[in-house]
Amino acid sequence: MANEGRRCECICKKDLTLTIGKEEQNLFECGKIYPCTIRKHFLHKDQYKIYGKEYALSCSKEKFDEYFHLKRSRYY
């Protein structure tokens, strides 16, 4: 089911770009806050989904930790 999991916000640690042909497109900008969902799995690795302006990124915990960190909130 779409958007299952814990909803939170994350902050981008460094720019995440994608190169298509000769053009480079910035998907996520350093310092910006993005909504994300963390899906916890009992038998599988946790999955993170970050929602950008035009793109959504699904990734593992290792890749998430490389580019993002969770925003602290008083609600968690």
Side-chain angles (χ1 to χ4, degrees):
M1 187 171 280
N3 295 327
E4 276 186 7
R6 187 178 97 181
R7 295 178 186 187
C8 49
E9 292 181 322
C10 60
I11 302 171
C12 187
K13 291 183 194 178
K14 59 182 179 179
D15 288 346
L16 181 61
T17 59
L18 176 67
T19 304
I20 301 173
K22 294 181 179 179
E23 186 178 319
E24 191 170 277
Q25 190 170 7
N26 197 5
L27 304 180
F28 297 94
E29 291 182 46
C30 180
K32 290 214 173 186
I33 299 172
Y34 296 97
C36 65
T37 304
I38 302 171
R39 295 172 112 182
K40 298 282 186 181
H41 293 282
F42 177 67
L43 298 173
H44 306 289
K45 289 186 174 183
D46 296 344
Q47 185 166 8
Y48 294 76
K49 187 154 191 169
I50 301 94
Y51 301 94
K53 198 175 209 177
E54 296 182 38
Y55 299 96
L57 172 70
S58 292
C59 63
S60 66
K61 177 166 178 42
E62 294 78 21
K63 193 55 89 173
F64 180 85
D65 289 342
E66 181 180 345
Y67 285 94
F68 300 94
H69 62 87
L70 290 176
K71 180 182 173 194
R72 298 278 182 222
S73 174
R74 60 186 168 147
Y75 300 111
Y76 295 87

